[in-house]
Amino acid sequence: MMQKKFVVGIWLLQDLLQVLLIGFCLVPNLCVTYLLLVTMLDFSNDALARDALWGAFVGGILYDLRWTNVPGASALLWCLSLAVASAVWGHIPQNARNYVAHFWLVFFVLLSSELIHFVLFAVSSGAILRLMLLNMVMSLVVALISSAIFMRNQHGDF
């Protein structure tokens, strides 16, 4: 079950990390990663999916108000990412919904959403390549951690 205060805490952690690492790299989207994790663990729960979409919407609006000048762009991107990932997860056979499928889906969502952010909001410069590469590595680490939590929860150890 998703706790709303935990979503807020993860969003605040993501924002704090972004402030601390502002000149070095961009932080992967921890909020969407958490929302993907909880919806994939309890996929048949419609109320949870609705709450996750609202969480993505509110988190995206807050992100836009904090970092960009286009309110609603990140909210739309986060909600679309969550909806597409849920649709893909729903088309994966039940016996194939494992930590490997979870990893690739989360990694693809993180990379695609960050790539869209780079295209829409980044200034073209030589430093953007370094930021993108660091973000890919950090997204890989976040997806691995999320998959480890998914695997642990699937086996009842969590």
Side-chain angles (χ1 to χ4, degrees):
M1 183 174 156
M2 180 175 65
Q3 295 185 3
K4 292 174 180 106
K5 62 183 174 185
F6 200 61
V7 174
V8 171
I10 288 178
W11 188 91
L12 289 171
L13 174 67
Q14 175 182 331
D15 191 57
L16 177 67
L17 289 173
Q18 187 60 56
V19 169
L20 293 175
L21 299 173
I22 197 158
F24 179 66
C25 66
L26 296 174
V27 176
N29 197 332
L30 302 177
C31 187
V32 168
T33 303
Y34 172 72
L35 293 172
L36 282 170
L37 177 65
V38 296
T39 54
M40 289 178 184
L41 283 171
D42 193 7
F43 189 68
S44 61
N45 189 341
D46 291 336
L48 180 66
R50 185 179 55 250
D51 288 348
L53 275 174
W54 274 110
F57 178 75
V58 172
I61 292 287
L62 291 174
Y63 183 86
D64 287 336
L65 293 175
R66 175 77 165 110
W67 293 105
T68 65
N69 293 324
V70 186
S74 294
L76 175 67
L77 179 62
W78 292 11
C79 288
L80 282 175
S81 297
L82 197 59
V84 168
S86 294
V88 169
W89 191 253
H91 282 87
I92 296 174
Q94 184 71 30
N95 59 351
R97 291 182 189 171
N98 57 16
Y99 65 94
V100 176
H102 174 83
F103 165 77
W104 285 112
L105 191 57
V106 169
F107 187 58
F108 176 74
V109 165
L110 289 175
L111 285 184
S112 61
S113 66
E114 291 303 323
L115 182 63
I116 291 170
H117 264 116
F118 279 122
V119 169
L120 292 178
F121 303 117
V123 179
S124 59
S125 70
I128 198 71
L129 181 62
R130 181 183 66 86
L131 284 174
M132 286 179 61
L133 290 174
L134 280 172
N135 190 273
M136 284 184 200
V137 170
M138 291 180 69
S139 294
L140 178 70
V141 171
V142 168
L144 283 170
I145 291 169
S146 177
S147 295
I149 294 169
F150 181 85
M151 181 178 66
R152 189 172 180 184
N153 199 320
Q154 254 192 340
H155 294 288
D157 297 336
F158 190 60

